[in-house]
Amino acid sequence: MASPSQNSPMGTATPTPIQNSTTVKSTGSTDTQTPVITKPRLQELVREVDPTEQLDEEVEELLLQLADDFIDETVNASCNLAKHRKVSKVEVKDVQLYLERRWNMWIPGFGTDELRPYKRATATEAHKQRLALIRKTIKKY
């Protein structure tokens, strides 16, 4: 099975070859694979968000399974994109394209130096009126 690009601490990626230019299929079994995220790491991430939060065992298992499924899906789709480009290596742009198209995710700092502008949602007139009313009320106190 092809693995995703390995990132160095500096943010550059090393492409990983695809096995025999075939579609990589996941076995769905995590028994023989090393998990990408372990229970202790998941608990550490939860503590970073909220030090008082504790996850149930079932929730931990579900989150670990979701993470594994997400990674498998991303790797498989990235391999297919690389295969479609007729290259033998998965590159960062393959992963970026999949994440952007499928999940509307953009991971800054990888691949191109392209700056992606942040598009602010335009405020409706009703929203502007509500904000003005709130500001007016706050000024009274």
Side-chain angles (χ1 to χ4, degrees):
M1 181 169 140
S3 63
S5 298
Q6 298 295 319
N7 292 326
S8 73
M10 299 302 291
T12 58
T14 305
T16 306
I18 300 175
Q19 287 181 332
N20 301 328
S21 296
T22 58
T23 304
V24 177
K25 300 214 179 203
S26 174
T27 60
S29 170
T30 57
D31 296 338
T32 59
Q33 299 175 355
T34 305
V36 176
I37 184 168
T38 60
K39 283 187 181 185
R41 178 65 180 135
L42 179 61
Q43 291 167 351
E44 183 181 323
L45 289 170
V46 169
R47 279 193 301 272
E48 285 180 22
V49 175
D50 185 359
T52 62
E53 188 64 40
Q54 291 292 321
L55 297 178
D56 290 339
E57 182 72 24
E58 295 163 349
V59 174
E60 283 181 356
E61 291 296 326
L62 180 64
L63 288 174
L64 292 171
Q65 184 62 44
L66 285 172
D68 284 342
D69 291 347
F70 175 78
I71 291 166
D72 283 345
E73 183 180 326
T74 302
V75 169
N76 287 334
S78 300
C79 288
N80 287 336
L81 287 169
K83 182 180 175 184
H84 178 74
R85 292 188 303 113
K86 295 179 175 59
V87 295
S88 61
K89 295 183 178 187
V90 173
E91 296 178 4
V92 173
K93 64 184 175 181
D94 299 314
V95 179
Q96 279 183 327
L97 180 63
Y98 171 74
L99 291 176
E100 186 175 6
R101 300 293 177 162
R102 176 71 165 94
W103 297 103
N104 197 24
M105 290 172 126
W106 178 258
I107 313 300
F110 290 97
T112 64
D113 292 330
E114 172 189 345
L115 293 176
R116 299 190 45 100
Y118 175 70
K119 295 179 184 175
R120 287 188 73 173
T122 56
T124 63
E125 190 58 38
H127 180 68
K128 290 177 185 176
Q129 288 175 354
R130 284 191 297 270
L131 287 176
L133 181 61
I134 291 169
R135 287 186 191 112
K136 182 179 175 183
T137 307
I138 290 173
K139 285 183 181 179
K140 287 183 180 179
Y141 299 105

